[in-house]
Amino acid sequence: MTRRLLARIGLVVAVVVALRAATGAVRGAELPMAPPIVVSSAFIERADTLRYSETLSHLFARHNIAGQELAALLRAAEPIDPRRVRAGQVFQFRYAVYAPKPEQVTVRLDSDRILTLSRDSTEGWRGELQTVYWTVTTAVARGRIRSSLYETIDELISGSVLSTAERARLAWDLADGVFGWVIDFTRDNYEGDRFHIVYERLHSELGDVRFGRILAAKIETRGQENAAYVVLDAQGRNIYYDAEGRSLRRAFKLYPAEFRRISSGFARNRFHPVLKTRRPHLGVDYAANVGTPIMATGDGTITRAGRWGGYGIAVAIRHPKGVETRYAHMSGLARGIRAGIRVQQSQVIGYVGASGLANGPHLHYEFIKNGRHVDPRTAVKYGEGEPIPDERRGEFEAIKAEYDRMLALAASPTVAAGLP
């Protein structure tokens, strides 16, 4: 081994020894250390609700947004109509820590849309509309009516399958949207009547669950089985047909509004709760919450809309074949409703209230045939529905066979209500 190589090895050893000595010295010394920085949250989320009799300007003023900045924000919030935002609408405000104003506002417009407003400058805002996507599953329910259809369905389907509000929607759709022309669930059903339902449950990407639509149903009334099968028409609307392929639609629907109970029936001699005297009650009173939408029971032309003596705020509609319907004690008319315009069946014409000679919120509904008042609950169940078009008969039979298979599954004692 040469002297030059030995010298190089010695130099390397000396460097290693020196480095180890230096490292040991550093480890042995106590160096100053800064305290750790802990960030719990970079933003603060605050929810706020539009209160009764407030406008959006009141709501945003609580978050220091007003004047030109409010105008810029509302321009970015184009999908929101400030005149139609209802009390109870929730807005989510996102603040940077210690910031006096939010940098982002989020609002769920409806079940399918979310609007996010973001600050892009000192007083500038931009809006972004997000679509909420839903997946569809099929569920079944079966049972026997006890006290009422609503209460039976509410008890039958658990809260893990549908919420209370969604169970109410399902029951109302069955009573009004499917059989609303042919079955009066306040008088045609008896305790113990059986029903089977196949319906859709919708699941959103945000974890929401809601009722979709009824696909098929069979229900007993007075010992007779009534069936319904859904078919889409050319406009994409749900049309329900009976087992013979006849539409369940008729010229008039039984119910003009979603109601809690019938508070007074048709009578030729009744004690009036306001006037304290006996007089005819030539209609049916549907007790409902103030603001509940009132719908035209049939196609026709409005002949009167507005204040009308003891009726309060009311609407009268002229229909074909000498029929007139009247809707009284409203809290207000729907937008665009006035004398002379045509309305379609199920179109909203006003809202439940207690105007005129009324001692509580309800809808007073009258049915007049050739100038003579008749009981609406018996007058409208006339005639037969239109048959399925001949060219769609084969399609209907195939759909019916599939839904009958699903209804048989719903009738099976081994299938629990609400399971897909």
Side-chain angles (χ1 to χ4, degrees):
M1 186 178 295
T2 64
R3 290 182 178 180
R4 183 177 295 177
L5 180 58
L6 288 173
R8 289 181 177 176
I9 293 173
L11 179 61
V12 171
V13 171
V15 170
V16 171
V17 171
L19 288 174
R20 285 183 176 177
T23 304
V26 170
R27 286 178 179 172
E30 292 186 4
L31 299 178
M33 297 184 65
I37 299 175
V38 178
V39 179
S40 59
S41 177
F43 300 98
I44 299 173
E45 300 284 347
R46 298 176 185 169
D48 201 351
T49 304
L50 186 68
R51 301 165 190 170
Y52 181 73
S53 77
E54 276 192 336
T55 64
L56 288 180
S57 61
H58 294 103
L59 172 74
F60 287 113
R62 288 199 292 273
H63 298 269
N64 300 313
I65 300 175
Q68 292 184 349
E69 185 177 8
L70 175 61
L73 183 146
L74 293 178
R75 284 195 298 271
E78 184 180 356
I80 298 179
D81 184 347
R83 298 167 298 179
R84 306 192 71 178
V85 180
R86 294 182 176 271
Q89 177 70 66
V90 178
F91 291 77
Q92 194 75 23
F93 294 84
R94 183 181 186 185
Y95 287 77
V97 176
Y98 305 123
K101 297 181 180 182
E103 69 168 27
Q104 189 177 89
V105 182
T106 304
V107 56
R108 183 83 175 262
L109 300 177
D110 50 42
S111 59
D112 300 318
R113 299 179 302 160
I114 296 175
L115 177 64
T116 300
L117 302 166
S118 303
R119 186 188 298 277
D120 61 8
S121 64
T122 305
E123 293 186 349
W125 290 82
R126 56 184 172 81
E128 180 180 354
L129 198 60
Q130 173 190 347
T131 300
V132 178
Y133 293 98
W134 297 78
T135 56
V136 181
T137 59
T138 302
V140 299
R142 61 181 174 86
R144 288 181 179 270
I145 293 178
R146 289 188 285 274
S147 54
S148 71
L149 177 69
Y150 279 87
E151 292 180 6
T152 302
I153 287 179
D154 187 57
E155 295 172 1
L156 176 69
I157 301 176
S158 72
S160 62
V161 175
L162 288 175
S163 68
T164 300
E166 294 303 300
R167 296 198 295 273
R169 283 189 60 225
L170 188 158
W172 176 249
D173 193 40
L174 183 68
D176 182 71
V178 179
F179 293 111
W181 298 266
V182 294
I183 300 177
D184 185 343
F185 284 89
T186 66
R187 63 194 298 176
D188 291 342
N189 281 114
Y190 290 95
E191 190 164 332
D193 281 348
R194 293 175 297 180
F195 64 87
H196 305 131
I197 309 169
V198 179
Y199 65 96
E200 291 178 339
R201 288 174 70 217
L202 306 181
H203 311 254
S204 82
E205 55 190 321
L206 302 178
D208 304 318
V209 178
R210 63 184 174 100
F211 164 68
R213 59 173 178 161
I214 291 173
L215 299 175
K218 288 185 178 179
I219 186 166
E220 291 180 353
T221 56
R222 302 177 183 267
Q224 178 181 353
E225 183 179 79
N226 303 270
Y229 308 90
V230 70
V231 177
L232 294 180
D233 69 3
Q235 287 74 44
R237 298 173 300 183
N238 296 319
I239 306 297
Y240 291 90
Y241 291 87
D242 65 15
E244 307 304 320
R246 294 186 299 264
S247 173
L248 295 177
R249 285 179 176 267
R250 301 291 189 271
F252 293 93
K253 297 191 84 167
L254 289 164
Y255 308 131
E258 188 171 353
F259 60 96
R260 296 192 308 272
R261 62 188 176 87
I262 292 178
S263 55
S264 189
F266 184 91
R268 296 292 176 183
N269 187 17
R270 185 199 71 154
F271 182 77
H272 196 285
V274 177
L275 299 177
K276 306 300 182 183
T277 185
R278 302 198 72 84
R279 59 187 294 182
H281 185 253
L282 302 178
V284 175
D285 290 349
Y286 295 94
N289 295 329
V290 173
T292 300
I294 298 170
M295 298 165 286
T297 54
D299 299 346
T301 301
I302 294 179
T303 58
R304 186 161 186 165
R307 290 281 175 182
W308 191 355
Y311 283 145
I313 301 173
V315 168
I317 303 177
R318 183 179 65 246
H319 307 275
K321 299 182 179 180
V323 174
E324 178 186 350
T325 56
R326 296 176 183 175
Y327 314 75
H329 306 314
M330 296 181 177
S331 60
L333 302 174
R335 178 176 294 185
I337 295 301
R338 62 185 183 278
I341 72 164
R342 285 194 56 79
V343 291
Q344 303 297 314
Q345 187 177 78
S346 297
Q347 181 176 337
V348 175
I349 57 175
Y351 304 93
V352 170
S355 59
L357 294 176
N359 63 346
H362 70 279
L363 166 65
H364 175 77
Y365 173 61
E366 296 181 2
F367 194 95
I368 303 166
K369 176 73 171 177
N370 295 325
R372 180 174 178 270
H373 284 81
V374 294
D375 187 346
R377 300 173 71 192
T378 59
V380 300
K381 295 161 62 176
Y382 293 146
E384 292 187 348
E386 293 290 327
I388 190 90
D390 290 341
E391 63 272 16
R392 301 194 67 185
R393 172 62 67 169
E395 176 190 357
F396 168 75
E397 294 297 339
I399 290 173
K400 177 177 177 293
E402 175 60 17
Y403 286 154
D404 278 338
R405 183 191 67 79
M406 299 172 77
L407 287 166
L409 178 65
S412 171
T414 61
V415 177
L419 292 180

